[in-house]
Amino acid sequence: MFWGMDSVFIWPQVIGLFAMTINILAWQIKKTRHIFLCNAPASFLWATQYMLLSAPMGVLTNFTSVFKDILIAFIKDKYLPILIFLFLAILWAIGLQLISNAKDILPLCSLTLYNLALLRRDNRQLISRTVLLNQVGWMIYNSIVGAWMGFACAILISFSALLGMARHEEWEIGKSYKSFTPNLMRALFVMPNFRISP
């Protein structure tokens, strides 16, 4: 009996570990197409993990992301807005039917935010900050549904995004503990050379 209870918890975490490994490897790849192609099997594994954890919104958001990521890897940039808006329309049309409590809105909002930022995927500053916000939503959701590998992955991706921003934007945080937090907030929310229009 003890093993049965453990295995119900362990199998989703094992699958999540494989998904996390693929996600972390994807962040090391240079070509955008290959990143999205890596995201597809990772999303499939995340969807499987959420299915085992009885978290339908996690299943929906990740399962639909498999197809979206494969299409993004191969379509021309001029068709990207159509694909993103079609994906979000389908996601919300189905997702609104599955919402049973407040936690279910987190994956929908996180994925929407991230995919809207993909419309400006050449803007590294915008994408990095969106990834950070996206991961906060997933951290909360994963902690509620018990997806601990997903929670760990969200933390790792958040730290990676922060380090990438600090390195590429040459943040000057300061060495004093009094100036660290204000300088960090300023660096996060004031993006140098940020522009919305192409």
Side-chain angles (χ1 to χ4, degrees):
M1 185 169 147
F2 181 73
W3 167 249
M5 289 176 62
D6 271 359
S7 65
V8 169
F9 173 77
I10 288 171
W11 281 113
Q13 310 312 320
V14 169
I15 292 168
L17 180 62
F18 285 118
M20 179 172 69
T21 304
I22 295 170
N23 271 143
I24 291 168
L25 289 174
W27 278 85
Q28 311 311 313
I29 297 171
K30 301 292 182 197
K31 285 190 174 183
T32 305
R33 172 180 289 183
H34 295 152
I35 292 171
F36 283 106
L37 287 175
C38 270
N39 282 341
S43 292
F44 181 79
L45 289 171
W46 289 126
T48 305
Q49 175 200 238
Y50 290 122
M51 189 168 23
L52 293 173
L53 292 169
S54 300
M57 197 61 74
V59 176
L60 170 69
T61 52
N62 281 278
F63 187 69
T64 53
S65 291
V66 172
F67 301 102
K68 183 262 305 176
D69 288 339
I70 291 170
L71 289 172
I72 283 180
F74 292 106
I75 66 165
K76 294 181 179 177
D77 283 348
K78 66 180 181 178
Y79 299 118
L80 182 64
I82 297 168
L83 175 63
I84 295 290
F85 288 120
L86 182 63
F87 167 71
L88 291 175
I90 292 169
L91 184 69
W92 279 89
I94 300 170
L96 287 173
Q97 308 301 316
L98 295 177
I99 292 175
S100 61
N101 52 48
K103 79 172 183 332
D104 289 335
I105 200 75
L106 288 168
L108 285 173
C109 291
S110 294
L111 205 55
T112 299
L113 181 68
Y114 175 71
N115 280 281
L116 288 175
L118 287 179
L119 296 172
R120 300 286 301 133
R121 61 181 173 180
D122 59 327
N123 189 324
R124 177 183 217 117
Q125 296 167 349
L126 176 64
I127 292 291
S128 296
R129 284 157 178 83
T130 306
V131 163
L132 201 57
L133 286 172
N134 178 34
Q135 296 309 313
V136 170
W138 281 109
M139 275 185 236
I140 297 167
Y141 183 76
N142 287 328
S143 66
I144 293 170
V145 301
W148 299 114
M149 290 299 112
F151 182 81
C153 186
I155 289 176
L156 289 172
I157 290 173
S158 298
F159 277 122
S160 177
L162 279 170
L163 289 173
M165 284 187 277
R167 190 175 74 234
H168 290 290
E169 296 172 18
E170 299 176 356
W171 287 0
E172 293 182 18
I173 302 297
K175 296 176 183 175
S176 163
Y177 73 91
K178 289 182 180 178
S179 64
F180 178 80
T181 302
N183 287 339
L184 177 63
M185 291 300 109
R186 192 176 304 113
L188 272 173
F189 296 112
V190 178
M191 297 185 284
N193 305 322
F194 176 69
R195 56 190 175 82
I196 292 179
S197 60

